[in-house]
Amino acid sequence: MMLVHNVRLPESPEPVDVRIAEARFTQIGADLGVHDGEEVLDAQGRLMLPPFIESHIHLDSVLTAGQPEPNLSGTLFEGIQRWAQRKATLTVDDVKERVNRVVRQQAGFGVQFVRTHVDVTDPQLTALRALLELREELAEWMTIQIVAFPQEGICSFPDGRELMTKAADLGVDVLGAIPHFEFTREYAVESLNFVCNLAAERGLLVDVHCDEIDDEASRGLETLATRAYELGLGSRVTASHTTAMHSYNNAYFTRLLRLLQMSGINFVSNPVVNTHLQGRADTYPKRRGVTRVKELTEAGINVSFGQDDIQDPWNPLGTGNLRDVVFTGLYVTQMLGHEQIENSHRFVTSNAARTLGLGDEYGIEVGRPASFVLLDADTWSQALNWNAGVVASYRNGKLIARTEPVRREVLF
Ligand code: 17E
Ligand code: FE2
């Protein structure tokens, strides 16, 4: 039994106490009082949030920037070429060593759930084999969801359909696709049909790299949403990136929005990496190339934010600290109203939980697993502004990471 004394929850300005027993939250309320023999953690009025969720990252490529050559153009497509060179040299040990380092880095920033895309356009499926092992080895500390991600296409890559089916047989959680990279519009549609049907058949989730291009004519999303609607997959489907939506004309977007609402699909935006990768064919004005987060959110559609990459061919920087992603995302999408800032933790907490389908296994509520972070701030806007450290990250009632609060002195 443990009592976490004097915490602030985002919805309630008054501090509360939180009681934990047998790895679950058992009581939440003001001044609960200490039971005999109970361990007490004094949170000193700090903000408690459910653990952070990385809803979109490519763990297989982390820490490979510059290997064997850097991505000099900064485009998505050169990134895919550079990664293809590095992919040819992958070993299971190499992938595991890099991912083991990054997962611990993420844990230090309070992340406890990760959805990773893993490139399966590799006849050996080396990265997938490594990630499947890590999903088991790390399960006590990090929940890893694996997406079979066909980086070089399904219909446009040799044996693409077989590789996706093999990945499903090996036990991935989610199926991906990349319609804007397929050779033709017909292949784009065919790949989406293939993946949605396979997911429906196998009971798997879907998360598509969808229209990650500045081409206003890239319209994989309408096909994905229609299949989700017709197959009844709804919130089991996610559209990631959707950067072409930035360039859609408003008349088309307005028409599309009705379908998106009817379909119930989720969206993931990667505002840091897409501001870096998109707009590269523009001179001036240069597009930001981030999907319409504000409009989707206001229409009641679920949107989360991801880091996408850490030091790889698509992003030379990145630490895995989701605060940076939210901070950048709010600026790029012009969502800096007071309420928008205070609610923005949801992009990397509850909204992301919906995308991952975590259900009752996530959230600070009586009966749910006692997993949470304590931030060195008393409100989310302060935590965001000051890049507050995660002073404690508890998972199922156990401390798994901590950061000493920064104590800065100015000597005048
Ligand atoms: N692959 C891709 O197709 N798009 C991305 N943003 C990354 C990898 C990081
Ligand atoms: Fe991605």
Side-chain angles (χ1 to χ4, degrees):
M1 288 233 298
M2 180 168 84
L3 187 74
V4 191
H5 174 62
N6 193 11
V7 303
R8 280 197 172 77
L9 298 173
E11 312 78 44
S12 64
E14 294 309 314
V16 294
D17 293 348
V18 174
R19 176 160 281 127
I20 293 165
E22 287 166 17
R24 298 214 167 232
F25 295 116
T26 56
Q27 220 183 347
I28 300 170
D31 298 319
L32 295 183
V34 185
H35 288 177
D36 274 352
E38 190 170 50
E39 180 190 345
V40 179
L41 171 65
D42 184 4
Q44 300 174 349
R46 291 191 170 103
L47 177 68
M48 178 189 271
L49 288 177
F52 293 121
I53 302 175
E54 174 54 83
S55 58
H56 188 119
I57 194 163
H58 298 255
L59 285 179
D60 54 354
S61 58
V62 291
L63 312 180
T64 64
Q67 300 172 2
E69 288 172 76
N71 176 354
L72 291 177
S73 67
T75 61
L76 165 65
F77 292 87
E78 186 180 341
I80 295 173
Q81 267 180 293
R82 297 289 154 256
W83 169 241
Q85 293 171 290
R86 183 61 174 81
K87 185 163 59 172
T89 68
L90 286 181
T91 65
V92 168
D93 286 349
D94 155 39
V95 176
K96 287 183 75 171
E97 191 271 323
R98 288 182 287 105
V99 176
N100 264 313
R101 273 197 278 162
V102 165
V103 162
R104 283 160 179 81
Q105 220 170 284
Q106 293 174 300
F109 294 118
V111 174
Q112 292 186 25
F113 301 84
V114 172
R115 174 177 284 185
T116 180
H117 298 259
V118 180
D119 187 359
V120 296
T121 49
D122 161 17
Q124 269 73 53
L125 296 175
T126 304
L128 178 61
R129 291 176 203 284
L131 261 301
L132 286 165
E133 287 181 23
L134 289 167
R135 186 179 63 182
E136 303 312 312
E137 291 165 12
L138 293 167
E140 190 179 338
W141 304 280
M142 188 72 80
T143 302
I144 299 179
Q145 268 190 6
I146 299 178
V147 187
F149 171 53
Q151 176 68 82
E152 296 182 58
I154 296 175
C155 303
S156 314
F157 190 77
D159 302 321
R161 290 176 186 76
E162 289 72 23
L163 289 165
M164 289 296 291
T165 309
K166 185 84 188 290
D169 292 341
L170 288 172
V172 298
D173 307 284
V174 190
L175 298 177
I178 185 163
H180 55 278
F181 194 79
E182 300 284 356
F183 293 147
T184 65
R185 199 178 50 78
E186 287 77 9
Y187 279 9
V189 172
E190 213 176 305
S191 68
L192 292 169
N193 286 337
F194 172 81
V195 157
C196 290
N197 288 331
L198 185 59
E201 210 178 287
R202 303 284 185 102
L204 297 173
L205 305 176
V206 174
D207 190 335
V208 172
H209 275 64
C210 199
D211 307 315
E212 191 186 6
I213 191 165
D214 296 319
D215 175 6
E216 69 282 1
S218 184
R219 293 180 176 186
L221 179 56
E222 62 182 24
T223 301
L224 179 65
T226 301
R227 285 298 95 80
Y229 173 67
E230 290 176 350
L231 291 166
L233 295 172
S235 66
R236 301 176 64 78
V237 172
T238 297
S240 281
H241 296 290
T242 61
T243 61
M245 190 196 289
H246 188 92
S247 301
Y248 289 165
N249 66 73
N250 290 335
Y252 175 69
F253 176 72
T254 306
R255 186 263 263 187
L256 178 66
L257 196 55
R258 173 174 176 268
L259 166 66
L260 300 179
Q261 286 175 314
M262 287 168 69
S263 72
I265 68 170
N266 308 298
F267 284 79
V268 181
S269 176
N270 299 289
V272 172
V273 166
N274 282 127
T275 44
H276 163 59
L277 297 176
Q278 305 312 129
R280 291 287 177 159
D282 295 348
T283 52
Y284 288 95
K286 271 186 205 285
R287 281 168 282 189
R288 300 176 187 203
V290 171
T291 198
R292 300 192 191 193
V293 176
K294 181 157 61 178
E295 291 75 8
L296 292 170
T297 300
E298 285 170 359
I301 292 169
N302 186 50
V303 183
S304 65
F305 282 170
Q307 159 91 81
D308 206 12
D309 299 282
I310 295 177
Q311 299 174 54
D312 76 359
W314 298 278
N315 183 8
L317 303 175
T319 59
N321 185 352
L322 289 171
R323 173 268 179 192
D324 298 348
V325 174
V326 176
F327 189 88
T328 306
L330 293 184
Y331 275 87
V332 173
T333 62
Q334 301 184 330
M335 294 181 76
L336 289 160
H338 176 72
E339 287 295 303
Q340 289 168 324
I341 297 173
E342 277 300 346
N343 288 334
S344 65
H345 66 86
R346 296 178 188 168
F347 289 125
V348 292
T349 58
S350 52
N351 294 7
R354 184 177 189 271
T355 294
L356 268 66
L358 300 181
D360 291 348
E361 289 303 291
Y362 180 86
I364 300 171
E365 281 186 44
V366 169
R368 299 192 179 187
S371 300
F372 62 89
V373 294
L374 282 177
L375 290 156
D376 191 21
D378 54 11
T379 64
W380 172 248
S381 62
Q382 289 305 312
L384 189 64
N385 197 36
W386 292 98
N387 193 8
V390 172
V391 298
S393 176
Y394 277 80
R395 180 168 167 90
N396 299 320
K398 264 179 46 185
L399 181 66
I400 64 162
R402 62 179 167 227
T403 300
E404 283 293 317
V406 173
R407 294 289 167 243
R408 194 176 286 114
E409 281 182 77
V410 176
L411 304 178
F412 66 88

